[in-house]
Amino acid sequence: MQDHILMNDGAVQSCFSADYAEARTKFIAAAQGAGAHLEHRVLEGIAGALGETLATDVALLGTADAESLVVLSSGVHGVEGFCGSGCQVALLRDPALLGLARERGVALLLIHAVNPYGFSHRRRTNEDNIDLNRNFIDFAQPTRNPAYAELHELMLPLQWPPTEDNARSIAGYIARHGETAFREAVTTGQSEFADGLFYSGTAPSWSNRTLRAILRSHAAQRRRIAWIDVHTGLGRCGHGEKIHAGLPGTTDNLRATRAIWGADVVAAWEGDSASRQVVGHAVSAVFAECPQAESVGIALEYGTRKATAMEALRAEHWLHRHPDAASTEQRAAIKQDLHDAFYVDDDEWRGMIAGQCRTALLQGVLALGR
């Protein structure tokens, strides 16, 4: 099959956007051009950074009764939507891949900007400071993470940049407990500090409820579902690590996932991934909402030029907690640094990530198609 992605004509580069409003416009136009059925699930009462409407937009290609469905989602972690949106627009502008899906009887479901607030305002979290990949939990059993309580004020000090004493205190914690324990304490998720890092929330967020409703509308009758959830910020620059998005410890599901996407699918719960294992990731909703289906999924995690996004996240959370403490220049610098931690404004990087996403989509379509 002829490859639609041409690296020398700007086709891929034009799929990406400078802000959420542009990304949404491109997605809707590309979906309309591809003949997709479109839905707009609006986040009421909250405006975007430019005053624009915020919404999770849904494009369905293929029939409602197709037994197989491939899902491509973007922006679970808002600012990471710059990458995922570009991949979705590239798919919608790819007639060869869309034609293959039709021939194989595979429906495609594109969920654009799962977290539109974070995408627009350049936050990883949502309008309630919730990390959506920690929010899909049983709220009768909130995420208890006592280790985070010891680190909360150290990670989010009163002033930014942090003092030398702050850096020494964090280094002392790592010396006592180890780097792995430090990362797990900070990133696993926590439900006690609503203004803290990796906050799970204490109830299902708007995005949680919206994503579940989308699945009930478009996936509840499917027999086979393969989900690719695009993320950025971890791993080697430009490389898409394929992280198992099934439930932790489900070895049969991991085996089925590798049968589609290859032996290089890694499982955070086995300690093989650049990511730590988290509780309550968004893709897990498919197992609750679509129990009739054989479901598999991956988080396609692209590395950027930042060795770690942690300092950028700390700074942006500090800004969120102390919005009046920063000058206009410092605010702009913090927001730009967060953007750069999760996106590389470079044509070569964009080409790499779009190509790898296309390969993952092809694998999904070929595996599920008749």
Side-chain angles (χ1 to χ4, degrees), residues 8 65 72 82 106 147 152 162 184 205 219 230 235 280 283 299 306 316 321 342 356:
N8 60 354
D65 61 353
L72 180 64
F82 288 96
V106 177
H152 175 68
E184 288 184 350
S205 65
V230 180
V283 176
K306 295 277 188 179
E316 200 280 331
R321 295 180 84 200
F342 293 102
Q356 291 170 82

Side-chain angles (χ1 to χ4, degrees), residues 99-362:
L100 178 67
R102 283 194 301 272
E103 293 168 10
R104 296 298 182 106
V106 177
L108 301 173
L109 182 67
L110 282 66
I111 307 173
H112 184 266
V114 176
N115 172 11
Y117 176 88
F119 194 164
S120 178
H121 289 273
R122 300 194 185 202
R123 299 210 74 209
R124 189 174 183 271
T125 54
N126 79 341
E127 60 276 7
D128 298 312
N129 194 50
I130 290 172
D131 182 319
L132 294 186
N133 254 6
R134 312 296 189 276
N135 186 241
F136 289 75
I137 59 175
D138 176 2
F139 288 97
Q141 299 178 320
T143 304
R144 303 298 182 192
N145 184 359
Y148 178 82
E150 185 177 347
L151 288 163
H152 175 68
E153 294 299 334
L154 287 176
M155 297 302 293
L156 300 175
L158 292 176
Q159 68 180 68
W160 197 269
T163 64
E164 292 183 4
D165 283 345
N166 177 268
R168 281 194 292 269
S169 295
I170 292 175
Y173 183 97
I174 294 172
R176 293 191 302 274
H177 300 280
E179 180 72 28
T180 298
F182 168 71
R183 292 289 173 185
E184 288 184 350
V186 173
T187 66
T188 296
Q190 54 85 21
S191 60
E192 295 181 81
F193 298 88
D195 62 348
L197 294 162
F198 301 96
Y199 176 55
S200 67
T202 56
S205 65
W206 175 86
S207 294
N208 183 328
R209 300 191 303 273
T210 299
L211 188 61
R212 292 179 185 277
I214 292 167
L215 291 175
R216 289 193 293 270
S217 293
H218 298 294
Q221 304 304 317
R222 315 290 183 175
R223 290 185 58 192
R224 295 173 293 276
I225 300 172
W227 190 335
I228 302 167
D229 187 29
V230 180
H231 288 266
T232 60
L234 294 173
R236 301 195 311 275
C237 184
H239 170 68
E241 182 176 76
K242 295 174 282 188
I243 305 172
H244 178 239
L247 301 176
T250 53
T251 55
D252 288 346
N253 188 271
L254 176 58
R255 190 177 303 112
T257 305
R258 286 174 172 160
I260 294 176
W261 286 294
D264 57 337
V265 171
V266 297
W269 47 272
E270 289 188 334
D272 294 333
S273 172
S275 173
R276 310 304 306 172
Q277 181 61 52
V278 301
V279 178
H281 62 80
V283 176
S284 65
V286 75
F287 301 104
E289 302 300 336
C290 307
Q292 82 293 338
E294 299 173 6
S295 298
V296 292
I298 56 171
L300 192 54
E301 178 83 42
Y302 294 106
T304 65
R305 286 176 177 161
K306 295 277 188 179
T308 173
M310 185 58 70
E311 290 307 293
L313 284 171
R314 291 180 68 199
E316 200 280 331
H317 268 71
W318 171 84
L319 182 64
H320 176 70
R321 295 180 84 200
H322 308 283
D324 298 325
S327 66
T328 300
E329 293 77 12
Q330 186 182 25
R331 172 184 292 275
I334 286 172
K335 287 293 187 180
Q336 185 63 48
D337 195 44
L338 187 78
H339 180 270
D340 294 344
F342 293 102
Y343 182 75
V344 179
D345 189 9
D346 176 83
D347 286 350
E348 182 177 3
W349 186 85
R350 285 186 282 262
M352 291 171 68
I353 65 102
Q356 291 170 82
C357 188
R358 188 176 195 271
T359 298
L361 286 162
L362 277 169

Side-chain angles (χ1 to χ4, degrees), residues 43-128:
L43 176 58
E44 301 287 355
I46 301 176
L50 302 176
E52 75 274 27
T53 297
L54 297 177
T56 294
D57 297 298
V58 183
L60 177 67
L61 298 113
T63 62
D65 61 353
E67 293 186 341
S68 296
L69 180 72
V70 173
V71 181
L72 180 64
S73 54
S74 69
V76 167
H77 290 141
V79 70
E80 299 177 28
F82 288 96
C83 172
S85 174
C87 292
Q88 290 175 317
V89 174
L91 168 60
L92 289 166
R93 295 178 180 177
D94 189 340
L97 183 48
L98 297 180
L100 178 67
R102 283 194 301 272
E103 293 168 10
R104 296 298 182 106
V106 177
L108 301 173
L109 182 67
L110 282 66
I111 307 173
H112 184 266
V114 176
N115 172 11
Y117 176 88
F119 194 164
S120 178
H121 289 273
R122 300 194 185 202
R123 299 210 74 209
R124 189 174 183 271
T125 54
N126 79 341
E127 60 276 7
D128 298 312

